[in-house]
Amino acid sequence: MKKIKTKSQFTFIMENLDGKFVRKYKKKETKPYPQTVPENKMLKLLNYSNIKSPKILKKHFTSIDIEFIEGREFYNQDKTLLINIVANYIFDLKNINPEPIKKYIKWNNNTEFFYMHLNKLLDFIKKIKPKNKEKLSMMGIDESILNQFININLYDMRKMTIIHSDIQKDNIINKNTDYFLIDWDQSTYGDIAYEFAIHFVREKYTPSEMNILLERMCTSLQIEPSSLMNDINIYMQFENIRATIYYLNKACELKNNKQDFTEELDIGYEYYLKLNIGKLKDDIRNIINM
């Protein structure tokens, strides 16, 4: 057995006589992103769908082995192609029967699904080390930034569906003429508005690009467009805050361990700019270095 490279602290690319595979350990690092449905259960469900995804090879007590998809990450810069691929994913996910995974779901509608994410982020903030929390406060980031989401109601007439929760280019593998969607550890049964919002934020969609995908999907899925867009905007603002907190706290953690935090600062500051708080990148770097 040979380890090819480390993707994260708990995920490894492995190789044996049969070829490469992905080994994922059950222990996860603390993140503000909920993992509600076991990945092996979701992948098993996907085996009966049109979604091209990795297969479960073996389940161990502390880990699972997943098929390694040999191919290239989606590199095409043409948003039209990306929009077409994502539209197909979302449409096919909408048609999967969610009954086998519903036992893992503790929310009954879209509003409760949103508050599950909000509470997860609040729990994450509580676990941030006091020194890092003080630095984030100096950046203008504390729990009060989430007050805008208190008593928010989403459109609960929109039916929930199976969602991937992290559709982005890094998770799309081009193998020959097929496109495989990988990394299902955050997939669940929830609000399709969340699926769109996460995709739009991470792939930096323009308003016109959003409209192209939404107009197509609202028609094919028979979704009410104005309420969908309203809820997408709520989730996008929430994700900008969540990602800011996650990456800038991670930068503080790396600094505390005397490690380079440049990449985390760059990513975190990109989200931070969307919050319109006003501090310059050098200001944030100086605070982290304190």
Coordinates of all heavy atoms in Angstrom, one line a residue, residues 22 54 91 214 256:
V22 N -9.2 6.7 -3.2 CA -9.2 7.7 -2.2 C -9.6 7.1 -0.8 O -10.7 6.5 -0.7 CB -10.2 8.9 -2.5 CG1 -10.2 9.9 -1.5 CG2 -9.9 9.5 -3.9
P54 N -18.1 9.0 -7.9 CA -17.3 7.9 -7.5 C -18.1 6.8 -6.8 O -19.1 7.1 -6.3 CB -16.3 8.5 -6.6 CG -16.3 10.0 -6.8 CD -17.7 10.3 -7.3
F91 N -30.6 19.3 -12.1 CA -31.8 18.6 -12.6 C -31.9 17.1 -12.2 O -32.9 16.6 -11.8 CB -31.9 18.8 -14.1 CG -33.2 18.2 -14.7 CD1 -34.3 19.0 -14.7 CD2 -33.2 17.0 -15.3 CE1 -35.5 18.5 -15.2 CE2 -34.4 16.5 -15.8 CZ -35.6 17.2 -15.8
L214 N -30.4 30.5 -13.7 CA -31.6 30.5 -13.0 C -32.8 30.5 -13.9 O -33.8 29.8 -13.6 CB -31.7 31.7 -12.0 CG -30.7 31.7 -10.9 CD1 -30.8 33.0 -10.1 CD2 -31.0 30.5 -10.0
N256 N -0.3 31.3 14.8 CA 0.0 30.9 16.2 C 1.0 29.7 16.2 O 1.8 29.5 17.1 CB -1.3 30.5 16.9 CG -2.2 31.7 17.1 OD1 -1.8 32.8 17.0 ND2 -3.5 31.4 17.3

